Amino acid sequence: MLLRLGRQAGAVVTRLILVLGDQLTEDIAALREADRETDVVVMAEVAAEAAYVAHHPKKIALIFAAMRKFAAALQASGWDVRYTRLDDPANAGSIPGELLRRAGETGADTVIATEPGEWRLIAAVQDVPLRVHLLEDNRFLASHADFESWAMGRKALRMEYFYREMRRRTGLLMDGDAPAGGQWNYDSENRKPPPGGVDFHPVAFTPDESIEEVLTLVEHRFADSFGDVRPFTLPTDRTQARRALTHFIGHALPFFGDYQDAMLTGHRTLFHACISSSLNIGLLDPMEVCRAAEDAYRAGNVPLNAAEGFIRQILGWREYVRGIYFLEGPDYTSRNALNHRRKLPPLYWGGATRMNCLAHAVRQTKEDAYAHHIQRLMVTGNFALLAGIDPAEVHEWYLRVYIDAFEWVEAPNTIGMSQFADGGIIASKPYVSSGAYIDRMSDYCGDCAYDVKAKTGTDACPFNLLYWAFLDRHRARFEKNPRMANMYRTWDKLDADRRAATLSQAQDFLHRLSQGEAV
Ligand code: FAD
Ligand code: DLZ
Ligand code: SF4
């Protein structure tokens, strides 16, 4: 018989079971391994986790509120939970410090932990001078070994092929051996411009007394951080997260596919699920979410393009980016394949800008700690890439400002998908566009100081200038890319005066951006 981790035959020894702020489910590996009779669960609100980057206050509030509720639920079901609040005078200030303090208190010499979602914290937990057993995070549908064996020997690690394998393995949206409807991917049906009327709103949860206490704490302690803690209406426990999911499946999923790429000033979430924070901190399980979407399709309530598009985000993209993060290793976040060096301009922190799309995305991010995928990719990300901003600064911005940001998911999306800083591991070509794309998919341009139709001149949409300047700057790298050949052909066909004016006006714009002007 296998000895359980850290146990000696016959001896009853207390072990510390570490549960981090984004591991809030009773099914988590460390709790599954634990013994309710003899082990002690350690949970701690610590300054080190709240401040290694200056997170959006809503994100800190979400983590603390959900941690407190989860700890109370564990206690109610008989666990010995040693919970440390941020303002506890004995708080050691870091996860390793809290483990050592609790080891001293209980006499434990062993820690059972579920692998954290950031290399930084994995190293810190492994370095704790106790016997540390790290168990693989069991909340994902592809294990490290699954992903490694899929990736092994492949020249290109494209998400689409990984996704097909995951569909086959899980049986999700499969009719026997074939994909439901005969096609794996219905993305071509998912690019409709913004709809006229949208009447979907995610469920808003009114904070109870325990959450109010957290909001007040966060307001005081993190007053200088970027972002508004109130209003706070997010799900903070599993019951609420399930309600939010059911509401989404019933009311928004049918339209998810069609309008996935659309952006509307008056409707910040459109038909998106707003479940990423619940998934990432453990309140929802990815398989239950995918099954709920498939059930809605099988019941005839949701079209296939919507169910498939939604399931692809979770079964495909979410699992795939995690695989890449752990496959590529800790240096992934410092990659800079395009050698971009510009500093992140103040407009990302709410500084004045005349670009309405950016002003809107940043304002929304400050207020909600949320922007949907296309806002992140094609507005803030697109601009940073076109302007040649240092990907490390862009990465830190995304990690700080979004409610769902943990490095395992944020870094591949930012460094890889959005900034092409990994040299093309995730994206087969850079996600860049001129203003025309934003104009087609949103209502932002109508209220902008710039003219999206103007290609050059003082009124010209900066995306129009920067787009061509980016292609020109990186010609050696991208010209041979078959997916970009058309773009270069179009650029080369423009007359020489127009090209020269575009490049010099782009340079002037970038100079003014770097000087801190409100461009
Ligand atoms: P929906 O659009 O309703 O999608 C449903 C679910 O699919 C999401 O909740 C999410 O779990 C999953 N999903 C969708 N797209 C992706 C993706 N590209 N990668 C991984 N999962 C995905 N997502 C995060 O969870 N955390 C991040 O820190 C994060 N950073 C991002 C940074 C950039 C630059 C970009 C372009 C994308 C980032 N994403 C991140 C992916 C995506 O934007 C968010 O998952 C999504 O906007 C969350 O909102 P939602 O729940 O309404 O998603
Ligand atoms: C994000 C976060 C914050 C703000 N605070 C805490 C905390 O006080 N205690 C904790 O256990 N976890 C926190 N977290 C989540 C961790 O930062 C997260 O586990 C790692 O970033 C790995 O994903
Ligand atoms: Fe953004 Fe250009 Fe449209 Fe203005 S005109 S909102 S800068 S895309």
Side-chain angles (χ1 to χ4, degrees):
M1 200 177 85
L2 281 176
L3 278 183
R4 301 194 67 204
L5 292 174
R7 291 245 185 275
Q8 288 143 2
V12 175
V13 206
T14 298
R15 303 172 305 173
L16 302 180
I17 310 299
L18 176 65
V19 176
L20 294 167
D22 55 352
Q23 299 179 338
L24 307 179
T25 165
E26 279 214 56
D27 285 331
I28 199 83
L31 279 171
R32 278 200 183 172
E33 162 63 30
D35 186 335
R36 203 180 300 229
E37 301 305 313
T38 53
D39 292 333
V40 163
V41 177
V42 175
M43 294 182 70
E45 300 166 7
V46 290
E49 290 310 304
Y52 72 94
V53 291
H55 304 280
H56 195 297
K58 244 192 210 24
K59 177 177 169 191
I60 302 178
L62 168 70
I63 303 270
F64 290 0
M67 283 175 73
R68 289 181 186 192
K69 282 191 176 181
F70 185 67
L74 286 181
Q75 252 152 0
S77 62
W79 290 94
D80 177 356
V81 182
R82 309 287 167 108
Y83 191 94
T84 310
R85 291 187 171 210
L86 189 71
D87 50 8
D88 184 333
N91 192 323
S94 68
I95 296 295
E98 277 296 293
L99 285 170
L100 287 172
R101 185 166 78 86
R102 296 301 188 185
E105 188 178 286
T106 57
D109 69 349
T110 299
V111 176
I112 312 290
T114 309
E115 182 181 76
E118 303 193 359
W119 289 109
R120 166 192 67 81
L121 195 54
I122 292 176
V125 172
Q126 272 170 335
D127 280 355
V128 172
L130 296 168
R131 297 199 306 166
V132 176
H133 299 272
L134 272 193
L135 307 177
E136 183 163 346
D137 194 329
N138 54 334
R139 288 173 294 169
F140 292 88
L141 302 169
S143 66
H144 293 328
D146 292 336
F147 194 81
E148 282 158 19
S149 82
W150 171 77
M152 190 156 8
R154 281 175 194 265
K155 267 216 247 130
L157 302 180
R158 294 286 163 250
M159 193 288 295
E160 180 62 26
Y161 297 104
F162 169 76
Y163 166 59
R164 290 179 191 181
E165 175 142 329
M166 292 299 285
R167 290 271 296 278
R168 285 195 196 93
R169 268 200 24 217
T170 57
L172 281 164
L173 286 184
M174 296 296 290
D175 291 334
D177 291 339
Q183 255 173 256
W184 291 104
N185 183 316
Y186 291 86
D187 217 17
S188 56
E189 294 172 30
N190 290 354
R191 303 230 166 85
K192 296 213 173 109
V198 180
D199 60 2
F200 172 70
H201 291 277
V203 190
F205 298 94
T206 309
D208 62 16
E209 228 172 81
S210 73
I211 292 172
E212 280 296 341
E213 200 182 346
V214 170
L215 299 183
T216 306
L217 169 79
V218 171
E219 261 166 349
H220 285 116
R221 284 290 289 266
F222 305 99
D224 296 335
S225 297
F226 171 83
D228 304 346
V229 72
R230 292 174 198 272
F232 185 93
T233 56
L234 295 160
T236 48
D237 60 38
R238 182 165 162 73
T239 308
Q240 292 183 343
R242 287 280 321 168
R243 248 186 80 197
L245 173 65
T246 306
H247 179 72
F248 163 75
I249 300 275
H251 296 91
L253 182 59
F255 311 101
F256 176 88
D258 288 352
Y259 300 116
Q260 205 176 327
D261 288 8
M263 300 176 276
L264 274 181
T265 312
H267 206 291
R268 294 176 173 192
T269 60
L270 275 162
F271 301 110
H272 291 271
C274 303
I275 54 163
S276 46
S277 58
S278 296
L279 272 166
N280 295 353
I281 69 173
L283 307 183
L284 289 175
D285 170 68
M287 188 48 117
E288 78 177 322
V289 176
C290 292
R291 287 227 171 90
E294 172 161 22
D295 290 350
Y297 158 67
R298 300 276 181 206
N301 300 330
V302 163
L304 181 54
N305 73 309
E308 187 283 315
F310 181 70
I311 287 174
R312 177 162 19 97
Q313 306 312 313
I314 295 166
L315 180 67
W317 280 111
R318 188 170 184 271
E319 295 289 326
Y320 166 82
V321 296
R322 174 177 184 264
I324 295 286
Y325 178 75
F326 282 104
L327 191 72
E328 290 297 314
D331 83 323
Y332 188 77
T333 52
S334 51
R335 309 247 175 118
N336 190 355
L338 301 181
N339 194 25
H340 282 171
R341 302 284 167 197
R342 196 176 305 282
K343 300 222 77 59
L344 191 76
L347 71 88
Y348 278 79
W349 303 114
T353 173
R354 300 169 65 225
M355 292 179 279
N356 190 42
C357 52
L358 275 161
H360 178 77
V362 171
R363 192 180 320 121
Q364 168 179 342
T365 298
K366 177 174 175 291
E367 289 171 10
D368 302 347
Y370 176 87
H372 71 65
H373 187 67
I374 295 302
Q375 294 174 297
R376 297 187 204 196
L377 188 64
M378 299 312 291
V379 178
T380 44
N382 186 13
F383 184 79
L385 179 56
L386 292 178
I389 295 167
D390 186 336
E393 297 212 0
V394 185
H395 155 59
E396 186 177 324
W397 185 77
Y398 280 98
L399 190 58
R400 281 174 67 167
V401 302
Y402 288 115
I403 195 77
D404 50 24
F406 301 92
E407 208 174 83
W408 65 265
V409 54
E410 176 279 326
N413 270 296
T414 305
I415 295 287
M417 186 190 300
S418 165
Q419 299 302 298
F420 206 83
D422 66 1
I425 295 172
I426 290 185
S428 57
K429 71 174 181 60
Y431 281 95
V432 283
S433 80
S434 67
Y437 174 86
I438 296 174
D439 191 30
R440 189 166 65 251
M441 300 314 297
S442 79
D443 63 358
Y444 299 151
C445 299
D447 286 331
C448 187
Y450 293 103
D451 178 357
V452 73
K453 301 272 189 276
K455 311 292 182 215
T456 54
T458 46
D459 281 359
C461 164
F463 284 85
N464 293 345
L465 302 169
L466 297 180
Y467 173 72
W468 293 120
F470 172 90
L471 290 180
D472 189 69
R473 190 164 75 241
H474 292 296
R475 179 164 212 137
R477 178 181 279 269
F478 295 126
E479 170 172 55
K480 298 260 159 19
N481 183 326
R483 299 192 61 206
M484 297 178 77
N486 262 343
M487 302 170 181
Y488 280 101
R489 265 198 294 276
T490 308
W491 174 235
D492 291 341
K493 273 197 218 143
L494 297 178
D495 71 59
D497 287 351
R498 160 89 185 273
R499 276 187 279 141
T502 305
L503 295 182
S504 87
Q505 287 170 24
Q507 203 169 14
D508 173 62
F509 175 88
L510 291 174
H511 176 70
R512 288 185 290 117
L513 181 74
S514 291
Q515 295 300 106
E517 232 182 82
V519 289

